[in-house]
């Protein structure tokens, strides 16, 4: 099976690494890739947002399966363009990708499916902002209603901060979603979904804020770990039964069945799981940790999803132990990152590339989240030690990373 992966981040690097271990995969191709993916796959240039360009490339490389990593091409209908000309494609249609592309659409689906989520209100005019803010608090959650790469969210107890963020979004023409605050620790659960068939992967926890102790602004994600020692085993099945399956069924009912990876971000509070958000693709940095523990052939699972045969896939098998992802970020991230600096140590095992490029034969930084360093071990402590030992061998001027990925769980400071 010849597999073409679309994207250029650490998520795509992790997908390629897992696919390279699948005996069913005879050839790996990636577009556009990054400075690290060339060791695993043949690299091609492409406009990932263009259905025509991606389709032309899939024809050129004779792909048997196309795997779309990022959300933007999915929301823009690239998967539709591929399917229209007969390519098996892992990733939802544009209609189904609205589960991430429009938070208002996601809320409507959840309401119809009877799924618990935060109370919310859309604000599309500055004139209505203050009255709407008065209906929320003392914790304000302010979101961009569209795609924001994980950085369009502000959670604050300061009404002025909430108002400033909302006003900034409205000034740029973006509707604002105000939400009530959900208590409890957060869980990321990835599920392969084929219509109404749902197969969960391991649960993970992301660390969104830039600084240790969950301080500073939100980012695209600074690290993750899996599994979650504080999460009872039956909660995953509860999430599948009470959240993912009803949403999948509702989307079938609406004529936009989901096919691909449905990512449920949840808060596990006193009343059980409640949805914070849905994403229509593998999440980053959780993917890097989750796939590190996957023993089953990834290509077989993705192809079964893409071809409508997920229901006959053998149960997924997982390695024992734990995995941790630590993100190495460029100076000033999540603001405008410094780029163009030479990186050393980026070719080591367990180092996945994201914002990297090659200049004059050297690997240099080319984005905000530059590398994902993945550690594994017999337990969370060993996985953390492995990840942090690896990251200490990497140099990038001005870079920064969180030192506490998975630490609260290790120290028993997370509970339901």
């Amino acid at each position: 099976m010849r597999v073409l992966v679309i994207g250029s981040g650490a998520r795509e690097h992790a997908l390629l690494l897992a696919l390279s271990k699948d005996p069913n995969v005879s050839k790996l191709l990636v577009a556009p890739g990054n400075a690290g993916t060339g060791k695993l796959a043949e690299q091609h240039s492409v406009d990932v947002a263009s259905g025509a360009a991606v389709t032309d490339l899939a024809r050129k490389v004779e792909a048997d399966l196309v795997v779309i990593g990022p959300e933007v091409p999915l929301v823009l209908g690239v998967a539709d363009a591929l399917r229209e000309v007969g390519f098996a494609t892992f990733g939802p249609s544009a209609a189904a990708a609205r589960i991430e592309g429009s938070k208002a659409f996601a809320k409507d689906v959840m309401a119809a499916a009877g799924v618990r989520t935060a109370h919310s209100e859309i604000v599309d005019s500055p004139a209505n902002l203050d009255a709407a803010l008065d209906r929320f608090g003392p914790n304000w959650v302010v979101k961009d209603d569209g795609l924001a790469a994980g950085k369009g969210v502000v959670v604050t107890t300061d009404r002025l901060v909430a108002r400033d963020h909302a006003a900034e979004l409205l000034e740029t023409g973006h509707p604002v979603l105000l939400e009530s605050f959900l208590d409890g620790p957060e869980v990321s659960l990835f599920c392969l979904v084929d219509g109404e068939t749902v197969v969960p992967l391991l649960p993970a926890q992301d660390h969104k804020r830039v600084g240790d102790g969950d301080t500073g602004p939100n980012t695209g994600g600074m690290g993750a770990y899996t599994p979650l020692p504080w999460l009872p085993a039956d909660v995953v099945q509860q999430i599948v039964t009470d959240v993912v399956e009803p949403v999948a069924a509702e989307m079938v009912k609406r004529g936009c069945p989901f096919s691909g990876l449905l990512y449920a971000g949840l808060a596990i509070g006193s009343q059980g799981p409640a949805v914070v958000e849905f994403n229509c693709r593998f999440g980053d940095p959780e993917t890097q940790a989750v796939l590190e523990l996957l023993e089953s052939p990834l290509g077989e699972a993705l192809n079964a999803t893409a071809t409508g045969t997920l229901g006959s896939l053998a149960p997924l098998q997982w390695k024992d132990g734990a995995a941790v992802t630590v993100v190495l970020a460029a100076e000033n991230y999540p603001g405008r990152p410094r780029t163009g600096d030479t990186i050393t140590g980026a070719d080591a095992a367990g180092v996945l590339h994201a914002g990297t490029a090659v200049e004059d034969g050297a690997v240099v930084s080319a984005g905000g989240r530059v590398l994902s360093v993945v550690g594994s071990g017999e337990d969370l402590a060993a996985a953390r030690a492995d990840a942090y030992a690896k990251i200490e061998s990497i140099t990038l001027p001005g870079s920064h990373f969180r030192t506490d990925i998975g630490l609260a769980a290790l120290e028993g400071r997370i509970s339901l």
Side-chain angles (χ1 to χ4, degrees):
M1 181 167 58
R2 296 169 62 87
V3 183
L4 170 62
V5 175
I6 302 298
S8 61
R11 164 185 50 220
E12 287 74 36
H13 197 166
L15 287 165
L16 289 166
L17 183 61
L19 287 164
S20 71
K21 301 171 184 177
D22 185 340
N24 303 296
V25 177
S26 57
K27 179 75 173 180
L28 280 175
L29 310 108
V30 63
N34 56 45
T37 55
K39 293 187 175 181
L40 294 168
E42 183 179 294
Q43 300 201 152
H44 294 264
S45 297
V46 76
D47 177 0
V48 301
S50 168
V54 174
T55 299
D56 287 345
L57 177 60
R59 285 197 186 99
K60 175 184 173 183
V61 301
E62 299 178 328
D64 298 305
L65 172 67
V66 182
V67 179
I68 302 175
E71 61 272 24
V72 170
L74 292 168
V75 170
L76 293 177
V78 172
D80 301 85
L82 287 160
R83 288 195 183 97
E84 283 173 10
V85 294
F87 285 103
T89 304
F90 183 85
S93 65
R98 287 180 294 165
I99 197 79
E100 177 172 2
S102 168
K103 294 177 179 66
F105 173 79
K107 290 289 187 182
D108 189 58
V109 169
M110 284 185 276
V115 169
R116 289 189 65 244
T117 186
H119 167 68
S120 65
E121 186 174 333
I122 292 285
V123 181
D124 57 9
S125 168
N128 301 328
L129 179 56
D130 285 307
L133 286 168
D134 289 343
R135 291 190 283 273
F136 290 82
N139 291 288
W140 283 270
V141 181
V142 184
K143 298 182 177 182
D144 186 333
D145 184 51
L147 295 177
K151 292 179 285 186
V153 181
V154 164
V155 181
T156 181
T157 57
D158 188 325
R159 188 184 188 280
L160 184 58
V161 170
R163 190 188 191 286
D164 286 348
H165 182 61
E168 182 181 350
L169 291 172
L170 289 168
E171 285 173 9
T172 58
H174 292 229
V176 169
L177 184 79
L178 299 180
E179 284 189 338
S180 58
F181 179 74
L182 294 172
D183 67 330
E186 291 195 8
V187 173
S188 299
L189 184 65
F190 299 167
C191 294
L192 300 174
V193 176
D194 164 19
E196 296 192 41
T197 303
V198 175
V199 175
L201 308 190
L202 290 181
Q205 188 176 61
D206 185 12
H207 295 60
K208 279 291 187 191
R209 294 192 181 269
V210 71
D212 284 1
D214 292 326
T215 58
N218 272 344
T219 70
M222 293 299 293
Y225 66 98
T226 186
L228 309 180
W230 48 269
L231 188 71
D234 62 348
V235 174
V236 169
Q237 187 54 53
Q238 181 187 1
I239 294 169
V240 171
T241 302
D242 294 348
V243 175
V244 184
E245 288 180 344
V247 164
E250 175 62 23
M251 295 185 75
V252 170
K253 182 180 176 182
R254 292 178 178 224
C256 54
F258 195 96
S259 172
L261 194 290
L262 186 58
Y263 164 167
L266 310 112
I268 313 297
S270 56
Q271 298 180 50
V275 175
V276 175
E277 64 177 353
F278 279 110
N279 291 334
C280 64
R281 38 69 194 185
F282 279 101
D284 180 339
E286 300 99 320
T287 297
Q288 294 88 298
V290 170
L291 293 185
E292 175 69 17
L293 298 183
L294 180 65
E295 279 196 333
S296 297
L298 179 63
E300 183 181 18
L302 301 187
N303 191 59
T305 307
T307 57
T309 59
L310 183 60
S312 60
L313 183 71
L316 296 178
Q317 301 299 312
W318 301 93
K319 301 172 188 174
D320 293 331
V324 171
T325 304
V326 180
V327 171
L328 183 73
E331 182 176 342
N332 200 43
Y333 178 80
R336 182 173 183 148
R338 170 174 154 176
T339 60
D341 290 305
T342 300
I343 309 166
T344 61
D347 294 331
V351 180
L352 302 176
H353 290 232
T356 63
V358 176
E359 290 183 5
D360 300 324
V363 177
V364 301
S365 58
R369 293 188 296 169
V370 181
L371 301 170
S372 284
V373 180
V374 182
S376 60
E378 62 182 5
D379 55 23
L380 183 54
R384 274 179 42 83
D386 187 36
Y388 283 109
K390 290 173 179 174
I391 207 167
E392 290 295 342
S393 67
I394 299 168
T395 59
L396 171 62
S399 62
H400 59 98
F401 59 89
R402 282 185 60 161
T403 65
D404 63 346
I405 304 302
L407 184 60
L410 180 63
E411 295 180 344
R413 290 187 280 117
I414 303 179
S415 62
L416 299 187

